[in-house]
Amino acid sequence: MAGAAFYDQQIQLINFRLRIWFCGILVLAMLGLLASRFYFLQVMQHDHFHTLAENNRMSIVPVVPNRGLILDRSGLVVANNFSAYTLEINPTKVDNLEETIDRLAGIVDITLRDRKRFKKLRDDSHRFETLPIKTRLSEVEVARFAANRFRFPGVDINARLFRNYPQGISASHVVGYIGRINDKDLEKLEADGKLPNYRGTEHLGKIGLEESFEDELHGRTGFEQLEIDAGGRAMRSLSREEPVAGNNLILSLDLKLQQVAEKA
């Protein structure tokens, strides 16, 4: 009986050792798999993830050039530009768009007309990252929003250039006007290989001289590389390629004579 008990103990000890060996081999195998995965991610995929991290840390922002002026033969300004602040929304970064606009209306005067224009822009403009909800903000409105910026992810204020025609409707049939870039314009710009030069640009010439001399008036878009934080806010500028302003257009038209003719 004693021999049988001793034999059973030997069998149990062998089985226990086999289980220990099996568990040890399993643990070593799992550690090997983990180490190989670390090697794959940190060594073999280093360049890929380094690029992703740099892209998350940096943002390339287009710098829109000043559009060229249009002047008559005596140097009288027919078309120029002015800068103003615009409140803009990136719909892809806003969870509840209508609720966000309602809360913004408590800080900035957003009219029903502003809402309708924003909705139309959102329906028509598929390429833009941000869309204006309110243009030409006052200094008071800029200060109010700046104090509440943290409450509105996906909403920001940008300085934009606007076209101005100081002579009113005089010679408007010749000068023409600029308008917002639509899908048809995008297709033409892409077909002509000009689309990269219009990054960040929202308007181009539609008719008249504004359209005929679009290439000369538009200029060349610059770029700025910004370091951004986790909230997407710019921390500092890393590099900058300055834009090239468009060329001025001097007409053979005498605006004062044109006004006399129009009045007659």
Side-chain angles (χ1 to χ4, degrees):
M1 293 293 294
F6 177 77
Y7 179 76
D8 291 339
Q9 290 179 355
Q10 289 292 329
I11 294 297
Q12 292 176 4
L13 182 60
I14 292 172
N15 291 335
F16 178 74
R17 288 175 177 173
L18 288 175
R19 287 195 293 268
I20 291 294
W21 275 102
F22 176 78
C23 291
I25 293 172
L26 183 62
V27 169
L28 289 175
M30 296 299 294
L31 289 175
L33 288 175
L34 187 61
S36 64
R37 185 61 177 172
F38 281 155
Y39 178 82
F40 175 77
L41 294 176
Q42 296 184 14
V43 178
M44 299 183 67
Q45 294 290 307
H46 173 268
D47 292 340
H48 172 69
F49 287 107
H50 178 72
T51 301
L52 291 179
E54 287 297 307
N55 290 339
N56 287 334
R57 186 178 68 88
M58 294 183 296
S59 176
I60 304 297
V61 179
V63 183
V64 180
N66 290 337
R67 192 173 180 85
L69 308 182
I70 300 179
L71 307 99
D72 80 340
R73 62 185 299 173
S74 62
L76 194 62
V77 176
V78 179
N80 58 10
N81 311 298
F82 70 94
S83 180
Y85 287 107
T86 301
L87 184 65
E88 302 181 359
I89 300 177
N90 187 333
T92 62
K93 296 183 179 180
V94 176
D95 294 332
N96 191 320
L97 193 56
E98 292 300 325
E99 180 184 344
T100 298
I101 295 176
D102 289 339
R103 290 191 293 119
L104 283 171
I107 300 173
V108 176
D109 182 22
I110 297 177
T111 64
L112 181 60
R113 182 180 179 183
D114 293 328
R115 293 173 183 259
K116 289 182 177 178
R117 185 180 67 244
F118 179 81
K119 185 179 184 303
K120 186 176 186 304
L121 290 175
R122 190 185 178 197
D123 293 339
D124 296 341
S125 304
H126 304 294
R127 84 179 182 99
F128 300 107
E129 295 181 357
T130 61
L131 296 172
I133 182 66
K134 179 73 175 181
T135 60
R136 306 182 189 184
L137 298 177
S138 67
E139 293 182 0
V140 173
E141 289 175 324
V142 171
R144 284 178 181 170
F145 177 78
N148 293 273
R149 168 68 178 80
F150 67 94
R151 297 171 49 202
F152 297 97
V155 184
D156 212 342
I157 287 179
N158 292 308
R160 299 290 186 187
L161 286 176
F162 294 89
R163 199 63 160 168
N164 180 47
Y165 301 98
Q167 308 304 326
I169 63 173
S170 293
S172 58
H173 64 292
V174 176
V175 177
Y177 62 88
I178 65 172
R180 182 169 288 274
I181 296 174
N182 55 35
D183 290 341
K184 184 178 179 181
D185 296 325
L186 285 176
E187 292 175 2
K188 187 175 186 305
L189 288 171
E190 187 171 10
D192 294 340
K194 301 176 182 177
L195 189 58
N197 194 38
Y198 279 79
R199 284 192 58 191
T201 302
E202 298 181 356
H203 300 85
L204 51 62
K206 292 293 185 176
I207 62 171
L209 297 174
E210 293 277 27
E211 179 187 20
S212 300
F213 291 88
E214 171 63 29
D215 292 342
E216 290 78 11
L217 290 167
H218 175 68
R220 189 177 76 235
T221 299
F223 296 92
E224 185 172 18
Q225 188 179 53
L226 299 175
E227 183 177 9
I228 58 176
D229 62 12
R233 292 179 291 272
M235 301 294 290
R236 63 189 178 99
S237 176
L238 300 176
S239 63
R240 182 181 175 94
E241 179 182 338
E242 294 295 337
V244 177
N247 295 319
N248 294 337
L249 182 62
I250 301 177
L251 311 178
S252 60
L253 178 73
D254 188 312
L255 191 61
K256 290 185 178 179
L257 181 61
Q258 174 68 26
Q259 290 172 343
V260 170
E262 291 176 359
K263 186 176 181 181

